[in-house]
Amino acid sequence: MNSTQQIVYRQLRELRDHFTPPPGFTWPEISDGKLLMMMSPRPRHQLTAKRVTRQLDPQLPDDVFAFEATDTDDAGLGKLRIPDILVCPSAAMDTDAPLDPREIVLAIEIVSPSNPDNDYEDKARDYPAMGIPHYLILDPRDGTATYQWAIGRTEGRPAYENRLHLPYGTPVTLSTALGDWTVDTTDLPRYSPKDMFQQP
């Protein structure tokens, strides 16, 4: 990132630190020199997050946990992201600053009906660049899971080399440096037409 981009990122961080999200929106993320506002999660989104974190925690090593909605940033890349769920050592969370993304073993996103490209394209580009080795996308719109892992390079940029796409009902096994963990998607909720802003 050049000096101009670094200045822009610092300005955006300062703006964000003094920002109050309007009703119905979450704290903004930062990527590509922009503040990115998202609508507040819908209840089925949050139900998915809770069911997944409760599955993961008993499988994880001592002092490693699944956390929800935590700032993580890489100032050198000019990116601040807020994974819906992340797995990292508890000691990494004992900080006044945003979480170091290189402490994150797994990031999970639950697709938003309002902006699915943010999860499938933007974060699939940002997370490997930030050094996050495993990325799972859960999509309540169509009931699918997409698991990406093994950071390599594509067109000169960090990118996940492996990708697995599965329907809900098929367990997803995540093979990480800290062990193999399974997410059972059988009982994860699907969005309703109203969730997806469609007429019932």
Side-chain angles (χ1 to χ4, degrees):
M1 187 167 65
N2 62 40
S3 59
T4 301
Q5 291 170 319
Q6 290 174 347
I7 291 169
V8 169
Y9 181 69
R10 287 197 298 269
Q11 290 172 339
L12 290 173
R13 276 295 308 272
E14 184 174 350
L15 176 62
R16 184 182 187 270
D17 289 345
H18 296 88
F19 183 80
T20 301
F25 288 86
T26 63
W27 287 95
E29 298 177 308
I30 302 172
S31 185
D32 297 329
K34 295 178 289 189
L35 285 175
L36 307 172
M37 294 287 297
M38 297 292 292
M39 295 180 66
S40 297
R42 303 186 80 78
R44 288 185 180 91
H45 178 288
Q46 299 303 80
L47 177 58
T48 298
K50 182 56 67 178
R51 286 183 173 169
V52 171
T53 58
R54 287 194 170 184
Q55 284 188 47
L56 284 172
D57 275 339
Q59 303 179 63
L60 302 178
D62 291 344
D63 295 323
V64 175
F65 298 99
F67 299 95
E68 295 183 41
T70 301
D71 288 0
T72 180
D73 91 324
D74 187 320
L77 294 175
K79 298 183 185 299
L80 184 149
R81 289 299 195 173
I82 311 172
D84 290 323
I85 301 168
L86 61 87
V87 173
C88 74
S90 59
M93 297 287 280
D94 190 9
T95 176
D96 294 326
L99 177 65
D100 180 348
R102 286 161 184 80
E103 296 280 0
I104 298 173
V105 180
L106 166 68
I108 301 176
E109 295 293 349
I110 302 155
V111 174
S112 165
S114 62
N115 190 7
D117 288 349
N118 189 42
D119 299 317
Y120 279 109
E121 297 178 13
D122 301 341
K123 291 187 176 182
R125 177 198 65 223
D126 287 354
Y127 285 165
M130 296 169 79
I132 299 172
H134 298 268
Y135 178 34
L136 176 63
I137 302 171
L138 300 172
D139 195 337
R141 299 175 309 157
D142 61 3
T144 59
T146 303
Y147 173 37
Q148 298 176 77
W149 72 101
I151 300 173
R153 297 192 78 81
T154 298
E155 298 179 352
R157 295 183 177 185
Y160 294 115
E161 294 184 331
N162 297 327
R163 185 176 187 273
L164 184 64
H165 188 67
L166 297 168
Y168 276 16
T170 303
V172 184
T173 299
L174 311 164
S175 296
T176 80
L178 298 183
D180 292 350
W181 313 323
T182 298
V183 175
D184 185 352
T185 55
T186 303
D187 294 327
L188 298 185
R190 297 277 300 274
Y191 288 143
S192 70
K194 186 174 181 180
D195 283 330
M196 295 193 288
F197 313 105
Q198 299 171 357
Q199 292 297 324

